[in-house]
Amino acid sequence: MKNIFNNTQIAFSLKSDTELDRAYFLFKLIDNQPLVKIGTAVTNFALKANLPVEGLIRATVFDHFCGGVNEDDCIHVVDKMYKKRVSSVLDYSVEGKEEEEQFDTVLEKTLKLIDFAKEKEAIPFAVFKPSGFGRISLFQAVGDGQKLNAKEMDEWNSVVTRFDKVCKTSFDNDVALLIDSEESWMQEAVDNLIEDMMRKYNKIKPIVFNTLQMYRWDRLDYLKGLHEKAKKDNFFIGIKLVRGAYMEKENERAIELGYLSPICNSKEATDKNYNAALKYMVDNIDSMSVFAGTHNELSTYYLMNLMEKKGIKSNDYRIWFGQLYGMSDTISFNLAAKGYNIAKYLPFGPVKDVMPYLIRRAEENTSVAGQTSRELSMIKAERNRRKEK
């Protein structure tokens, strides 16, 4: 297939020269692993000490990777990208909360996001993270089959109620709902709960989407097993496929506790696993919908080729490509220009609360071979193109 991802004019058409320079500066920093570690430590210290650094963070890394501090703040970004046929998924990216009141706040935010999506064609999905609805240790206890005490049982019932309320609201408003993945030790409870939601709300078409991290060697078998359940119980499957976000943490925990790591033993194995899941879903697209979350050009071409071989139109509503805001614009905007369904994850939230997400983004970029250098080379190519005009 012809290379379409080197067109930097299309990819960066929405960026001013100043924004392009900022992107180059940020990715140069991210490309330096020691600097990322130092910057992370300094930023955490400054925020905890209430030093006046939020303005600087907002003007640099925050505005590059986030849409704003609240939903309304994001709308100008949403509208601007949609002019180029790139949709948005508003992602309330506040992590690490532990209190019931905080979980209820995330619930209300998610319900508001569904309202936004219902009213705005440019926002085709709502999204939430399971740990935003309940304690990680509680999910782990349920997944491990531990007996819950009365207080924990009340907590778990509240988690189930939050899931059901959001899924029902999505169903009632015909808005697809992406549910993000978590660490493996809490994911089993999440999977079981999402399967229950699929049985309930995916009878007509995929509304509820689970997320599979394909760096886990067991996820392809899980997908096939879910398909058998869907055929038996007569429901549609919605899946967001990603490679994964917690590799170091997963491997370290497996070593510490002495069990087999759930992570594939090489990047090549992960890539093979990811592409196998794409093929399985496209082969069964009549009963499934896939949101292919990837910054990998080869996997993107692979899915495009699968669609072409099956005679599936580029804008078929059952197949979406997704990338994170601030990254892989060469993929997102060039695919959109060819008529494919594209959605950018657009994180938002108070600057201080979103910092754990931004730090994770920076650390992931330093650990993914070639990702940052690819971003830099494309940004540099566009800067040179503009200078030569």
Side-chain angles (χ1 to χ4, degrees), residues 70-105:
N70 56 45
E71 302 93 331
D72 294 322
D73 210 13
C74 294
I75 292 304
H76 77 284
V77 179
V78 171
D79 289 341
K80 188 164 76 167
M81 288 201 296
Y82 201 58
K83 288 177 182 176
K84 301 294 183 180
R85 295 176 48 87
V86 175
S87 300
S88 298
V89 181
L90 293 187
D91 181 17
Y92 183 58
S93 298
V94 175
E95 301 179 355
K97 303 304 182 183
E98 287 284 319
E99 303 296 329
E100 289 295 298
E101 185 179 339
Q102 294 168 327
F103 299 142
D104 286 333
T105 298

Side-chain angles (χ1 to χ4, degrees), residues 113-347:
L113 292 179
I114 295 169
D115 281 338
F116 259 67
K118 177 183 69 174
E119 299 297 333
K120 210 158 181 63
E121 187 181 25
I123 307 175
F125 296 89
V127 65
F128 76 93
K129 196 170 173 61
S131 56
F133 282 7
R135 291 186 298 112
I136 291 174
S137 57
L138 182 64
F139 279 100
Q140 183 180 352
V142 171
D144 290 344
Q146 295 178 22
K147 184 172 174 58
L148 304 182
N149 61 36
K151 182 177 180 297
E152 289 169 334
M153 200 68 234
D154 285 344
E155 274 191 87
W156 182 247
N157 287 336
S158 294
V159 171
V160 174
T161 299
R162 292 182 190 109
F163 265 73
D164 191 72
K165 186 169 186 178
V166 166
C167 292
K168 183 179 188 305
T169 303
S170 290
F171 175 81
D172 289 343
N173 290 283
D174 195 26
V175 172
L177 178 68
L178 302 170
I179 304 175
D180 282 344
S181 54
E182 302 275 5
E183 293 91 339
S184 62
W185 51 93
M186 70 169 282
Q187 189 64 39
E188 185 170 352
V190 173
D191 289 342
N192 292 337
L193 192 45
I194 293 174
E195 284 177 28
D196 289 342
M197 297 298 115
M198 285 187 183
R199 285 187 182 89
K200 201 169 181 180
Y201 298 113
N202 285 9
K203 290 292 187 183
I204 301 170
K205 66 177 184 178
I207 289 288
V208 178
F209 282 63
N210 198 357
T211 299
L212 302 188
Q213 300 187 99
M214 300 310 297
Y215 68 178
R216 284 182 55 176
W217 47 261
D218 66 341
R219 293 290 85 182
L220 183 58
D221 285 339
Y222 171 81
L223 174 61
K224 292 176 179 178
L226 178 63
H227 189 204
E228 291 306 310
K229 293 176 185 177
K231 286 188 283 189
K232 178 177 174 288
D233 296 338
N234 193 30
F235 64 88
F236 287 87
I237 293 173
I239 294 291
K240 182 177 73 158
L241 291 176
V242 299
R243 275 172 167 76
Y246 308 102
M247 184 169 66
E248 289 182 11
K249 190 191 293 187
E250 291 278 2
N251 284 331
E252 286 170 4
R253 187 176 187 270
I255 292 169
E256 182 184 339
L257 298 181
Y259 63 84
L260 178 66
S261 173
I263 306 301
C264 292
N265 58 18
S266 68
K267 183 184 183 300
E268 290 73 24
T270 297
D271 292 341
K272 184 178 179 182
N273 213 27
Y274 188 95
N275 288 350
L278 286 177
K279 185 175 190 309
Y280 187 85
M281 293 197 72
V282 171
D283 285 345
N284 295 282
I285 200 65
D286 289 340
S287 59
M288 300 184 182
S289 181
V290 58
F291 185 103
T294 183
H295 296 197
N296 185 291
E297 292 184 5
L298 293 179
S299 287
T300 304
Y301 283 127
Y302 183 70
L303 179 52
M304 293 164 69
N305 276 319
L306 288 174
M307 293 172 70
E308 188 177 312
K309 287 176 183 175
K310 291 280 184 181
I312 300 171
K313 292 181 180 178
S314 59
N315 64 347
D316 190 299
Y317 77 94
R318 297 168 298 182
I319 299 178
W320 284 78
F321 297 79
Q323 290 81 42
L324 297 169
Y325 181 69
M327 293 171 60
S328 297
D329 287 347
T330 50
I331 294 178
S332 307
F333 287 90
N334 281 303
L335 277 178
K338 297 292 184 182
Y340 291 90
N341 296 321
I342 306 296
K344 285 277 203 186
Y345 255 58
L346 188 60

Side-chain angles (χ1 to χ4, degrees), residues 27 30-31 36 65 295 324 326-328 358-373 375:
F27 281 109
I30 290 170
D31 200 33
V36 169
F65 290 109
H295 296 197
L324 297 169
M327 293 171 60
S328 297
L358 290 173
I359 288 167
R360 191 151 53 81
R361 279 283 84 81
E363 290 172 344
E364 284 172 20
N365 270 279
T366 60
S367 64
V368 177
Q371 176 68 49
T372 303
S373 59
E375 295 281 356

